[in-house]
Amino acid sequence: MTGPTQLDTADRAAGTPTGWKARLRRHLVWIVIGSIMALTVGYVVVSRLASGPDDRALSPRNPAPGGAMAAAEILRGQGVSITEAGSFEQAISALKARDGAATVLLYDRNGYLGEGQLRELRAEADRIVVISPGRRTLQGLASSLRNAGVVPEGHNVLEPECGLEDPLAAGSISAGNGQLYAGSGTICYRVADGGLYAVSGDGHVVVIGSSALLSNDLLDEHGNAALVLRSLGGSEELLWYLPGLGDVPQDRNPATLDELAPPWVAFLGPWLVVVAFLAVLWRGRRLGPLVFEPFPVVVKAAETAEGRARLYQDSRAVERAAANLRAGTMVRLARVFRLGPDAGIDSLVEAVARKTGRPPAQLRDILDHRPETQSGLVQWAQTLEQLEQEASAP
């Protein structure tokens, strides 16, 4: 009798895979599939964790048309040290650690900062250049400036029309999709009651009403670059601050639905409820109790015809109902005169005229009539019934 050792030796001599090689060959397909899935999951995780390009509007690291990388690089080339703050705490720390005068570029597009944060930012900065601020931002900066609407259509280019040095040196600028500001201070690039460029009375707050002036897309148009560079490059240090969602104060409660809704909703809401209730009463129908019937249920032809007629009446399908009445009349008349199911209107008119003595033109008008109202449909149906009775009479 041959032992296990002799069998293993014989298998190896015959070239038969044994041990882990045999298991590897049996599960090779699953190993390949698992490796592919692992590589796919790893690629997705790495691509999600990898930091992508900065696509924020007016970011100094965003080379897209809506970014401000071009303006930042030009300022650096002119010797301005730019510090980008990622949060409010970083902005305050950078301002406190500065060596000399510092200018702050603030673009709080969504109004994340509270009044307390804005007051603290103004107290630490020597000069604040704020881009397209909202009402709450202006109140927090205590700049004595206010919103005055948007630039009307047709005013694509504006002239300085003020005595400030920076706007006069820059000349005309682009004004599309800009916001206007007014108040106590110096207003430049005026349109109607406001201007696209405003400086507070103490010169501490500068308002630029268009973010497009700083963008890579429009920086080289007209005097946009000159106005931006002169406004931001007045100090050796520039703090570039774009507030984010993490800068929202903890004590600021989100606005309730009552605060967000306009005043007229308080009257319109209950009235809409009343109207909806009346509409339900008007259109609602009583279904009644359930009726249990044994199957199969036999429905009479008269009930089916009456139900279909009611559907046509409710939907005001006059044309469809008239077509069915005409087809039924022609079939029954063809059966009376044994003309066959394919008989046309000419054959029917000729046969009915011989039987009833009516003029063929009159019969054709009756059969080919197309009523437009429900009352006309009823009268025409009565005429067809009378015609069938005359044709079927002995």
Side-chain angles (χ1 to χ4, degrees):
M1 186 173 182
T2 306
T5 303
Q6 294 176 347
L7 290 175
D8 293 342
T9 304
D11 290 340
R12 285 193 293 269
T16 303
T18 59
W20 65 273
K21 291 184 179 180
R23 290 193 297 270
L24 178 63
R25 180 169 297 181
R26 286 197 303 268
H27 302 288
L28 181 61
V29 176
W30 295 108
I31 292 174
V32 173
I33 295 176
S35 301
I36 295 175
M37 293 181 62
L39 291 175
T40 304
V41 173
Y43 173 76
V44 173
V45 172
V46 171
S47 61
R48 289 299 182 100
L49 295 179
S51 57
D54 191 350
D55 58 353
R56 293 178 300 169
L58 297 191
S59 171
R61 293 182 286 109
N62 184 3
M69 187 175 182
E73 293 299 324
I74 296 175
L75 289 170
R76 289 192 180 99
Q78 294 179 350
V80 178
S81 176
I82 298 179
T83 302
E84 185 179 359
S87 64
F88 177 75
E89 289 74 14
Q90 293 180 7
I92 297 299
S93 299
L95 290 174
K96 290 182 178 180
R98 71 185 185 276
D99 296 331
T103 300
V104 176
L105 184 148
L106 176 63
Y107 181 44
D108 191 6
R109 178 174 56 179
N110 298 314
Y112 290 135
L113 298 181
E115 293 187 5
Q117 293 171 312
L118 291 168
R119 287 194 297 267
E120 185 177 358
L121 190 66
R122 172 170 177 166
E124 295 293 339
D126 297 287
R127 191 167 185 245
I128 296 180
V129 179
V130 57
I131 310 299
S132 301
R135 179 180 59 86
R136 182 163 32 182
T137 302
L138 291 176
Q139 290 179 350
L141 293 174
S143 62
S144 69
L145 298 173
R146 67 179 188 277
N147 296 85
V150 297
V151 177
E153 294 184 1
H155 296 77
N156 297 324
V157 180
L158 296 179
E159 299 295 334
E161 298 182 358
C162 68
L164 292 181
E165 182 179 355
D166 292 344
L168 288 177
S172 61
I173 62 172
S174 303
N177 300 324
Q179 299 185 27
L180 302 176
Y181 299 89
S184 59
T186 305
I187 309 299
C188 302
Y189 301 102
R190 286 183 171 273
V191 179
D193 296 333
L196 195 67
Y197 185 93
V199 180
S200 61
D202 57 1
H204 193 71
V205 178
V206 177
V207 176
I208 299 178
S210 175
S211 60
L213 298 179
L214 285 77
S215 66
N216 301 325
D217 189 23
L218 299 181
L219 185 66
D220 59 343
E221 291 190 2
H222 305 290
N224 299 351
L227 181 64
V228 170
L229 298 178
R230 292 178 67 92
S231 300
L232 299 178
S235 305
E236 295 182 357
E237 296 185 14
L238 173 63
L239 177 66
W240 204 294
Y241 180 33
L242 307 177
L245 188 60
D247 296 326
V248 177
Q250 298 296 329
D251 57 348
R252 181 190 293 180
N253 295 324
T256 62
L257 185 60
D258 293 337
E259 295 174 351
L260 295 175
W264 48 265
V265 173
F267 169 77
L268 184 61
W271 176 247
L272 289 178
V273 173
V274 173
V275 172
F277 178 73
L278 294 177
V280 170
L281 294 180
W282 172 50
R283 299 295 298 176
R285 295 172 181 248
R286 285 198 173 191
L287 299 179
L290 295 177
V291 178
F292 297 94
E293 295 186 9
F295 284 95
V297 178
V298 178
V299 180
K300 298 180 180 180
E303 295 180 1
T304 304
E306 184 178 356
R308 181 173 295 181
R310 288 179 179 177
L311 291 176
Y312 287 153
Q313 182 181 7
D314 293 341
S315 60
R316 300 182 184 276
V318 176
E319 184 177 356
R320 182 69 179 274
N324 290 337
L325 288 175
R326 183 182 299 104
T329 300
M330 294 179 66
V331 169
R332 288 189 292 272
L333 289 177
R335 188 183 301 117
V336 170
F337 294 103
R338 297 180 175 85
L339 297 177
D342 298 331
I345 188 172
D346 295 334
S347 302
L348 289 175
V349 167
E350 183 180 357
V352 174
R354 288 198 305 266
K355 178 67 180 293
T356 61
R358 291 193 180 193
Q362 180 185 9
L363 295 174
R364 182 178 294 275
D365 291 339
I366 294 175
L367 293 176
D368 201 27
H369 180 64
R370 302 182 184 277
E372 297 180 355
T373 61
Q374 293 186 0
S375 59
L377 178 66
V378 173
Q379 295 177 1
W380 181 61
Q382 294 174 353
T383 303
L384 290 178
E385 183 180 5
Q386 181 180 359
L387 180 63
E388 288 187 37
Q389 291 177 358
E390 294 178 2
S392 303

